[in-house]
Amino acid sequence: MNDRQDFFCPFARGTGMHSASGGYSNALGCSVPVRWIDWIMGSPKVTFSDYRQDDSSFVDRTSDHPMVLSAVHVEGDPRDRLG
């Protein structure tokens, strides 16, 4: 998953998953959502909000990639939860 179009387009098209940062991949084509190479992906029952890439000075000192963050909502019946 440490790639751009070479990962996103076939993966999203083949699984129906989508990226927290947007974009699409289907039989009609592919639009890679952002230029970064790290992904948060989810199934059709997952929605994302508050997507951001933290490239603060602290992150720059601890990683060579921005920290990718998103709030996630998973659709489903609470009775189906594990535990």
Side-chain angles (χ1 to χ4, degrees):
M1 293 175 58
N2 197 6
D3 205 340
R4 294 180 181 93
Q5 187 168 346
D6 289 343
F7 163 74
F8 177 78
C9 293
F11 183 80
R13 185 174 36 253
T15 63
M17 295 181 81
H18 60 285
S19 171
S21 58
Y24 67 88
S25 183
N26 57 38
L28 302 176
C30 181
S31 174
V32 179
V34 293
R35 293 177 27 172
W36 299 104
I37 59 176
D38 296 313
W39 302 94
I40 299 174
M41 302 291 288
S43 71
K45 291 188 174 191
V46 171
T47 55
F48 301 105
S49 61
D50 301 320
Y51 175 84
R52 63 190 181 281
Q53 298 172 354
D54 181 352
D55 201 17
S56 65
S57 59
F58 175 76
V59 173
D60 284 344
R61 289 191 309 271
T62 58
S63 177
D64 62 342
H65 292 223
M67 178 67 65
V68 180
L69 307 156
S70 180
V72 179
H73 174 78
V74 180
E75 179 186 319
D77 188 327
R79 295 172 291 186
D80 293 338
R81 292 183 185 162
L82 297 175

